[in-house]
PDB file of all heavy atoms in Angstrom:
ATOM      1  N   ALA A 136     -72.884   7.715  29.115  1.00  0.00           N
ATOM      2  CA  ALA A 136     -73.692   7.416  27.913  1.00  0.00           C
ATOM      3  C   ALA A 136     -73.400   8.421  26.808  1.00  0.00           C
ATOM      4  O   ALA A 136     -73.254   8.053  25.629  1.00  0.00           O
ATOM      5  CB  ALA A 136     -75.175   7.462  28.290  1.00  0.00           C
ATOM      6  N   ALA A 137     -73.305   9.701  27.177  1.00  0.00           N
ATOM      7  CA  ALA A 137     -73.051  10.735  26.182  1.00  0.00           C
ATOM      8  C   ALA A 137     -71.721  10.547  25.443  1.00  0.00           C
ATOM      9  O   ALA A 137     -71.610  10.846  24.248  1.00  0.00           O
ATOM     10  CB  ALA A 137     -73.085  12.125  26.840  1.00  0.00           C
ATOM     11  N   ILE A 138     -70.721  10.068  26.148  1.00  0.00           N
ATOM     12  CA  ILE A 138     -69.395   9.858  25.507  1.00  0.00           C
ATOM     13  C   ILE A 138     -69.506   8.831  24.393  1.00  0.00           C
ATOM     14  O   ILE A 138     -68.953   9.026  23.283  1.00  0.00           O
ATOM     15  CB  ILE A 138     -68.368   9.387  26.571  1.00  0.00           C
ATOM     16  CG1 ILE A 138     -68.059  10.531  27.535  1.00  0.00           C
ATOM     17  CG2 ILE A 138     -67.072   8.871  25.894  1.00  0.00           C
ATOM     18  CD1 ILE A 138     -67.238  10.141  28.736  1.00  0.00           C
ATOM     19  N   GLY A 139     -70.219   7.742  24.604  1.00  0.00           N
ATOM     20  CA  GLY A 139     -70.435   6.751  23.550  1.00  0.00           C
ATOM     21  C   GLY A 139     -71.264   7.333  22.397  1.00  0.00           C
ATOM     22  O   GLY A 139     -70.954   7.081  21.217  1.00  0.00           O
ATOM     23  N   ASN A 140     -72.287   8.074  22.743  1.00  0.00           N
ATOM     24  CA  ASN A 140     -73.145   8.668  21.708  1.00  0.00           C
ATOM     25  C   ASN A 140     -72.378   9.645  20.838  1.00  0.00           C
ATOM     26  O   ASN A 140     -72.497   9.614  19.609  1.00  0.00           O
ATOM     27  CB  ASN A 140     -74.351   9.380  22.379  1.00  0.00           C
ATOM     28  CG  ASN A 140     -75.233   8.423  23.114  1.00  0.00           C
ATOM     29  OD1 ASN A 140     -75.183   7.214  22.961  1.00  0.00           O
ATOM     30  ND2 ASN A 140     -76.060   8.969  24.019  1.00  0.00           N
ATOM     31  N   GLU A 141     -71.623  10.524  21.494  1.00  0.00           N
ATOM     32  CA  GLU A 141     -70.917  11.550  20.744  1.00  0.00           C
ATOM     33  C   GLU A 141     -69.785  10.974  19.890  1.00  0.00           C
ATOM     34  O   GLU A 141     -69.386  11.584  18.869  1.00  0.00           O
ATOM     35  CB  GLU A 141     -70.355  12.607  21.698  1.00  0.00           C
ATOM     36  CG  GLU A 141     -71.447  13.422  22.352  1.00  0.00           C
ATOM     37  CD  GLU A 141     -71.002  14.234  23.558  1.00  0.00           C
ATOM     38  OE1 GLU A 141     -69.782  14.261  23.803  1.00  0.00           O
ATOM     39  OE2 GLU A 141     -71.815  14.851  24.220  1.00  0.00           O
ATOM     40  N   ALA A 142     -69.252   9.821  20.273  1.00  0.00           N
ATOM     41  CA  ALA A 142     -68.222   9.154  19.482  1.00  0.00           C
ATOM     42  C   ALA A 142     -68.817   8.364  18.304  1.00  0.00           C
ATOM     43  O   ALA A 142     -68.097   7.876  17.476  1.00  0.00           O
ATOM     44  CB  ALA A 142     -67.437   8.215  20.382  1.00  0.00           C
ATOM     45  N   HIS A 143     -70.148   8.300  18.275  1.00  0.00           N
ATOM     46  CA  HIS A 143     -70.880   7.493  17.242  1.00  0.00           C
ATOM     47  C   HIS A 143     -70.301   6.085  17.263  1.00  0.00           C
ATOM     48  O   HIS A 143     -69.973   5.501  16.186  1.00  0.00           O
ATOM     49  CB  HIS A 143     -70.732   8.120  15.846  1.00  0.00           C
ATOM     50  CG  HIS A 143     -71.253   9.528  15.777  1.00  0.00           C
ATOM     51  ND1 HIS A 143     -72.635   9.801  15.819  1.00  0.00           N
ATOM     52  CD2 HIS A 143     -70.640  10.738  15.724  1.00  0.00           C
ATOM     53  CE1 HIS A 143     -72.821  11.108  15.762  1.00  0.00           C
ATOM     54  NE2 HIS A 143     -71.633  11.696  15.692  1.00  0.00           N
ATOM     55  N   ALA A 144     -70.165   5.527  18.452  1.00  0.00           N
ATOM     56  CA  ALA A 144     -69.528   4.232  18.625  1.00  0.00           C
ATOM     57  C   ALA A 144     -70.281   3.143  17.931  1.00  0.00           C
ATOM     58  O   ALA A 144     -71.536   3.094  17.908  1.00  0.00           O
ATOM     59  CB  ALA A 144     -69.396   3.909  20.116  1.00  0.00           C
ATOM     60  N   ASP A 145     -69.546   2.210  17.360  1.00  0.00           N
ATOM     61  CA  ASP A 145     -70.154   1.035  16.775  1.00  0.00           C
ATOM     62  C   ASP A 145     -70.523   0.008  17.865  1.00  0.00           C
ATOM     63  O   ASP A 145     -71.403  -0.805  17.647  1.00  0.00           O
ATOM     64  CB  ASP A 145     -69.194   0.372  15.772  1.00  0.00           C
ATOM     65  CG  ASP A 145     -68.888   1.280  14.576  1.00  0.00           C
ATOM     66  OD1 ASP A 145     -69.804   1.476  13.768  1.00  0.00           O
ATOM     67  OD2 ASP A 145     -67.759   1.803  14.500  1.00  0.00           O
ATOM     68  N   ALA A 146     -69.850   0.092  18.988  1.00  0.00           N
ATOM     69  CA  ALA A 146     -70.152  -0.794  20.122  1.00  0.00           C
ATOM     70  C   ALA A 146     -69.588  -0.135  21.399  1.00  0.00           C
ATOM     71  O   ALA A 146     -68.517   0.477  21.368  1.00  0.00           O
ATOM     72  CB  ALA A 146     -69.549  -2.157  19.940  1.00  0.00           C
ATOM     73  N   VAL A 147     -70.339  -0.300  22.496  1.00  0.00           N
ATOM     74  CA  VAL A 147     -69.914   0.205  23.784  1.00  0.00           C
ATOM     75  C   VAL A 147     -70.085  -0.928  24.792  1.00  0.00           C
ATOM     76  O   VAL A 147     -71.109  -1.606  24.817  1.00  0.00           O
ATOM     77  CB  VAL A 147     -70.709   1.416  24.299  1.00  0.00           C
ATOM     78  CG1 VAL A 147     -70.171   1.929  25.615  1.00  0.00           C
ATOM     79  CG2 VAL A 147     -70.730   2.516  23.247  1.00  0.00           C
ATOM     80  N   VAL A 148     -69.043  -1.192  25.597  1.00  0.00           N
ATOM     81  CA  VAL A 148     -69.113  -2.186  26.668  1.00  0.00           C
ATOM     82  C   VAL A 148     -68.735  -1.504  27.970  1.00  0.00           C
ATOM     83  O   VAL A 148     -67.647  -0.927  28.067  1.00  0.00           O
ATOM     84  CB  VAL A 148     -68.244  -3.395  26.401  1.00  0.00           C
ATOM     85  CG1 VAL A 148     -68.264  -4.355  27.592  1.00  0.00           C
ATOM     86  CG2 VAL A 148     -68.679  -4.124  25.123  1.00  0.00           C
ATOM     87  N   SER A 149     -69.630  -1.589  28.943  1.00  0.00           N
ATOM     88  CA  SER A 149     -69.350  -1.073  30.269  1.00  0.00           C
ATOM     89  C   SER A 149     -68.929  -2.236  31.158  1.00  0.00           C
ATOM     90  O   SER A 149     -69.615  -3.249  31.256  1.00  0.00           O
ATOM     91  CB  SER A 149     -70.615  -0.417  30.860  1.00  0.00           C
ATOM     92  OG  SER A 149     -70.359   0.265  32.044  1.00  0.00           O
ATOM     93  N   ILE A 150     -67.726  -2.119  31.745  1.00  0.00           N
ATOM     94  CA  ILE A 150     -67.085  -3.230  32.436  1.00  0.00           C
ATOM     95  C   ILE A 150     -67.278  -3.058  33.962  1.00  0.00           C
ATOM     96  O   ILE A 150     -66.995  -2.025  34.523  1.00  0.00           O
ATOM     97  CB  ILE A 150     -65.577  -3.269  32.095  1.00  0.00           C
ATOM     98  CG1 ILE A 150     -65.427  -3.415  30.593  1.00  0.00           C
ATOM     99  CG2 ILE A 150     -64.892  -4.397  32.835  1.00  0.00           C
ATOM    100  CD1 ILE A 150     -64.014  -3.171  30.086  1.00  0.00           C
ATOM    101  N   HIS A 151     -67.768  -4.147  34.585  1.00  0.00           N
ATOM    102  CA  HIS A 151     -68.061  -4.122  36.036  1.00  0.00           C
ATOM    103  C   HIS A 151     -67.707  -5.454  36.661  1.00  0.00           C
ATOM    104  O   HIS A 151     -67.384  -6.416  35.974  1.00  0.00           O
ATOM    105  CB  HIS A 151     -69.551  -3.839  36.256  1.00  0.00           C
ATOM    106  CG  HIS A 151     -69.966  -2.470  35.923  1.00  0.00           C
ATOM    107  ND1 HIS A 151     -70.083  -1.459  36.846  1.00  0.00           N
ATOM    108  CD2 HIS A 151     -70.269  -1.872  34.713  1.00  0.00           C
ATOM    109  CE1 HIS A 151     -70.441  -0.319  36.237  1.00  0.00           C
ATOM    110  NE2 HIS A 151     -70.553  -0.552  34.939  1.00  0.00           N
ATOM    111  N   ALA A 152     -67.806  -5.499  38.008  1.00  0.00           N
ATOM    112  CA  ALA A 152     -67.778  -6.744  38.769  1.00  0.00           C
ATOM    113  C   ALA A 152     -68.807  -6.574  39.901  1.00  0.00           C
ATOM    114  O   ALA A 152     -68.936  -5.481  40.492  1.00  0.00           O
ATOM    115  CB  ALA A 152     -66.386  -6.999  39.347  1.00  0.00           C
ATOM    116  N   ASP A 153     -69.515  -7.584  40.193  1.00  0.00           N
ATOM    117  CA  ASP A 153     -70.660  -7.510  41.084  1.00  0.00           C
ATOM    118  C   ASP A 153     -70.253  -7.563  42.559  1.00  0.00           C
ATOM    119  O   ASP A 153     -69.113  -7.890  42.890  1.00  0.00           O
ATOM    120  CB  ASP A 153     -71.619  -8.667  40.784  1.00  0.00           C
ATOM    121  CG  ASP A 153     -73.080  -8.277  40.986  1.00  0.00           C
ATOM    122  OD1 ASP A 153     -73.345  -7.190  41.498  1.00  0.00           O
ATOM    123  OD2 ASP A 153     -73.984  -9.088  40.666  1.00  0.00           O
ATOM    124  N   GLY A 154     -71.213  -7.235  43.414  1.00  0.00           N
ATOM    125  CA  GLY A 154     -70.985  -7.291  44.865  1.00  0.00           C
ATOM    126  C   GLY A 154     -72.063  -8.065  45.593  1.00  0.00           C
ATOM    127  O   GLY A 154     -72.648  -7.618  46.574  1.00  0.00           O
ATOM    128  N   ALA A 155     -72.359  -9.274  45.087  1.00  0.00           N
ATOM    129  CA  ALA A 155     -73.396 -10.123  45.654  1.00  0.00           C
ATOM    130  C   ALA A 155     -72.810 -10.906  46.848  1.00  0.00           C
ATOM    131  O   ALA A 155     -71.672 -10.671  47.246  1.00  0.00           O
ATOM    132  CB  ALA A 155     -73.978 -11.076  44.624  1.00  0.00           C
ATOM    133  N   GLY A 156     -73.634 -11.829  47.407  1.00  0.00           N
ATOM    134  CA  GLY A 156     -73.184 -12.564  48.556  1.00  0.00           C
ATOM    135  C   GLY A 156     -72.252 -13.723  48.256  1.00  0.00           C
ATOM    136  O   GLY A 156     -72.181 -14.182  47.100  1.00  0.00           O
ATOM    137  N   PRO A 157     -71.552 -14.221  49.266  1.00  0.00           N
ATOM    138  CA  PRO A 157     -70.672 -15.379  49.086  1.00  0.00           C
ATOM    139  C   PRO A 157     -71.459 -16.571  48.532  1.00  0.00           C
ATOM    140  O   PRO A 157     -72.652 -16.777  48.864  1.00  0.00           O
ATOM    141  CB  PRO A 157     -70.158 -15.683  50.486  1.00  0.00           C
ATOM    142  CG  PRO A 157     -70.297 -14.370  51.199  1.00  0.00           C
ATOM    143  CD  PRO A 157     -71.506 -13.709  50.653  1.00  0.00           C
ATOM    144  N   GLY A 158     -70.830 -17.351  47.654  1.00  0.00           N
ATOM    145  CA  GLY A 158     -71.508 -18.483  47.054  1.00  0.00           C
ATOM    146  C   GLY A 158     -72.257 -18.149  45.780  1.00  0.00           C
ATOM    147  O   GLY A 158     -72.619 -19.066  45.011  1.00  0.00           O
ATOM    148  N   GLN A 159     -72.461 -16.865  45.558  1.00  0.00           N
ATOM    149  CA  GLN A 159     -73.091 -16.407  44.317  1.00  0.00           C
ATOM    150  C   GLN A 159     -71.960 -16.118  43.341  1.00  0.00           C
ATOM    151  O   GLN A 159     -71.226 -15.168  43.522  1.00  0.00           O
ATOM    152  CB  GLN A 159     -73.993 -15.220  44.572  1.00  0.00           C
ATOM    153  CG  GLN A 159     -75.150 -15.554  45.525  1.00  0.00           C
ATOM    154  CD  GLN A 159     -76.031 -14.367  45.778  1.00  0.00           C
ATOM    155  OE1 GLN A 159     -75.556 -13.266  46.088  1.00  0.00           O
ATOM    156  NE2 GLN A 159     -77.336 -14.578  45.704  1.00  0.00           N
ATOM    157  N   ARG A 160     -71.872 -16.935  42.263  1.00  0.00           N
ATOM    158  CA  ARG A 160     -70.713 -16.885  41.420  1.00  0.00           C
ATOM    159  C   ARG A 160     -71.092 -16.671  39.957  1.00  0.00           C
ATOM    160  O   ARG A 160     -72.243 -16.824  39.552  1.00  0.00           O
ATOM    161  CB  ARG A 160     -69.891 -18.181  41.514  1.00  0.00           C
ATOM    162  CG  ARG A 160     -69.324 -18.464  42.889  1.00  0.00           C
ATOM    163  CD  ARG A 160     -68.239 -19.493  42.770  1.00  0.00           C
ATOM    164  NE  ARG A 160     -67.172 -19.048  41.908  1.00  0.00           N
ATOM    165  CZ  ARG A 160     -66.222 -19.814  41.358  1.00  0.00           C
ATOM    166  NH1 ARG A 160     -66.283 -21.135  41.559  1.00  0.00           N
ATOM    167  NH2 ARG A 160     -65.263 -19.328  40.598  1.00  0.00           N
ATOM    168  N   GLY A 161     -70.079 -16.336  39.167  1.00  0.00           N
ATOM    169  CA  GLY A 161     -70.244 -16.305  37.714  1.00  0.00           C
ATOM    170  C   GLY A 161     -70.422 -14.890  37.167  1.00  0.00           C
ATOM    171  O   GLY A 161     -70.572 -13.919  37.889  1.00  0.00           O
ATOM    172  N   PHE A 162     -70.484 -14.801  35.823  1.00  0.00           N
ATOM    173  CA  PHE A 162     -70.608 -13.544  35.169  1.00  0.00           C
ATOM    174  C   PHE A 162     -71.965 -13.443  34.468  1.00  0.00           C
ATOM    175  O   PHE A 162     -72.631 -14.435  34.203  1.00  0.00           O
ATOM    176  CB  PHE A 162     -69.473 -13.362  34.096  1.00  0.00           C
ATOM    177  CG  PHE A 162     -69.702 -14.131  32.851  1.00  0.00           C
ATOM    178  CD1 PHE A 162     -70.274 -13.564  31.736  1.00  0.00           C
ATOM    179  CD2 PHE A 162     -69.307 -15.495  32.755  1.00  0.00           C
ATOM    180  CE1 PHE A 162     -70.479 -14.292  30.548  1.00  0.00           C
ATOM    181  CE2 PHE A 162     -69.502 -16.208  31.597  1.00  0.00           C
ATOM    182  CZ  PHE A 162     -70.072 -15.609  30.485  1.00  0.00           C
ATOM    183  N   HIS A 163     -72.375 -12.210  34.206  1.00  0.00           N
ATOM    184  CA  HIS A 163     -73.572 -12.007  33.353  1.00  0.00           C
ATOM    185  C   HIS A 163     -73.480 -10.738  32.606  1.00  0.00           C
ATOM    186  O   HIS A 163     -72.732  -9.818  32.956  1.00  0.00           O
ATOM    187  CB  HIS A 163     -74.848 -12.104  34.225  1.00  0.00           C
ATOM    188  CG  HIS A 163     -75.005 -10.947  35.167  1.00  0.00           C
ATOM    189  ND1 HIS A 163     -74.387 -10.913  36.413  1.00  0.00           N
ATOM    190  CD2 HIS A 163     -75.745  -9.827  35.124  1.00  0.00           C
ATOM    191  CE1 HIS A 163     -74.746  -9.832  37.072  1.00  0.00           C
ATOM    192  NE2 HIS A 163     -75.552  -9.124  36.288  1.00  0.00           N
ATOM    193  N   VAL A 164     -74.220 -10.685  31.507  1.00  0.00           N
ATOM    194  CA  VAL A 164     -74.257  -9.506  30.645  1.00  0.00           C
ATOM    195  C   VAL A 164     -75.614  -8.818  30.821  1.00  0.00           C
ATOM    196  O   VAL A 164     -76.650  -9.492  30.832  1.00  0.00           O
ATOM    197  CB  VAL A 164     -74.067  -9.909  29.171  1.00  0.00           C
ATOM    198  CG1 VAL A 164     -74.193  -8.711  28.266  1.00  0.00           C
ATOM    199  CG2 VAL A 164     -72.681 -10.576  28.972  1.00  0.00           C
ATOM    200  N   ILE A 165     -75.598  -7.497  30.962  1.00  0.00           N
ATOM    201  CA  ILE A 165     -76.822  -6.728  31.162  1.00  0.00           C
ATOM    202  C   ILE A 165     -77.196  -6.050  29.856  1.00  0.00           C
ATOM    203  O   ILE A 165     -76.358  -5.328  29.261  1.00  0.00           O
ATOM    204  CB  ILE A 165     -76.643  -5.675  32.257  1.00  0.00           C
ATOM    205  CG1 ILE A 165     -76.191  -6.351  33.562  1.00  0.00           C
ATOM    206  CG2 ILE A 165     -77.985  -4.909  32.472  1.00  0.00           C
ATOM    207  CD1 ILE A 165     -75.873  -5.369  34.681  1.00  0.00           C
TER     208      ILE A 165
END
Side-chain angles (χ1 to χ4, degrees):
I138 291 169
N140 298 343
E141 291 167 5
H143 302 288
D145 295 291
V147 184
V148 176
S149 188
I150 302 168
H151 290 262
D153 213 354
Q159 297 179 313
R160 297 197 61 197
F162 76 96
H163 67 279
V164 176
I165 305 174

